[in-house]
Amino acid sequence: MDPTTLPAGVVNPFAALTFIAAPALLTNASSLLLMGTTNRLARAVDRVRELASQLEHHARGEQAIAEVELWLMQRAEQRVRIIVHAMTTFYLAVGSFSFGTMLALIGAALVTPAHEGTRMWVLRFTIGACVIGVAAIMSGSLALVFESRITFRILTEEARQARERYAKRQIA
């Protein structure tokens, strides 16, 4: 069935708008996810640098603290890798939705019902680009869920470490 016609064979005036607006809105959503992920990456990179600096300043007697901070740094590096993966998928989503929008515009403007074969190919590529974009958003979002869980583990360990330092100060 042709998605641009209603069941009675009447042309659907919203079909072209749907094929153009949906990818455009999804492009915007992907861009917002990308901006947020970029901020997360900057904070994660800063944290890795901070932990590396702290590791350099530990005395020999602080081996236990250095080991915990090394573990924290490994988790922070893991966060960076996951965030970069998410950013890559969000870039793919933006590109896919932009490509889908462009194809929909071309299809709506240049392809007439007389060119049925071409019209169906443009429609298939538009839908394909949008499916790739949605899959990329899902993949990137799932990666950020995992990254959030790692961040939670890091914060839990840092809180435990801070409580231990506080308890030692109270005893002394």
Side-chain angles (χ1 to χ4, degrees):
M1 179 175 167
D2 184 359
T4 61
T5 59
L6 297 173
V10 178
V11 174
N12 183 348
F14 298 104
L17 180 62
T18 300
F19 286 118
I20 295 168
L25 289 174
L26 290 169
T27 302
N28 187 37
S30 301
S31 298
L32 290 173
L33 285 168
L34 190 54
M35 285 176 28
T37 305
T38 301
N39 289 334
R40 287 170 95 143
L41 178 64
R43 284 181 295 190
V45 168
D46 289 344
R47 185 66 181 135
V48 169
R49 289 179 180 154
E50 178 185 333
L51 286 166
S53 175
Q54 287 175 4
L55 279 170
E56 290 178 8
H57 293 96
H58 284 297
R60 293 185 197 271
E62 298 175 318
Q63 183 64 26
I65 294 172
E67 286 176 11
V68 170
E69 287 183 350
L70 185 60
W71 180 88
L72 290 172
M73 190 166 85
Q74 290 168 339
R75 296 295 81 74
E77 288 172 323
Q78 186 180 18
R79 278 185 67 206
V80 169
R81 284 191 300 274
I82 291 170
I83 292 169
V84 168
H85 166 75
M87 286 181 65
T88 302
T89 60
F90 292 147
Y91 278 121
L92 176 62
V94 168
S96 294
F97 292 135
S98 298
F99 183 64
T101 302
M102 183 202 65
L103 284 173
L105 285 169
I106 289 170
L110 301 178
V111 180
T112 64
H115 302 100
E116 186 62 28
T118 304
R119 189 169 80 142
M120 289 311 294
W121 277 108
V122 169
L123 180 61
R124 286 180 184 138
F125 279 120
T126 300
I127 291 171
C130 292
V131 166
I132 290 169
V134 168
I137 284 180
M138 291 171 56
S139 174
S141 297
L142 186 61
L144 291 181
V145 167
F146 289 122
E147 184 269 337
S148 296
R149 295 178 69 112
I150 291 169
T151 301
F152 179 74
R153 280 188 270 156
I154 290 170
L155 291 174
T156 301
E157 181 59 30
E158 287 177 341
R160 184 195 63 75
Q161 193 176 15
R163 283 191 298 275
E164 284 180 8
R165 280 194 305 267
Y166 179 75
K168 286 179 184 177
R169 278 190 233 136
Q170 294 299 321
I171 294 172

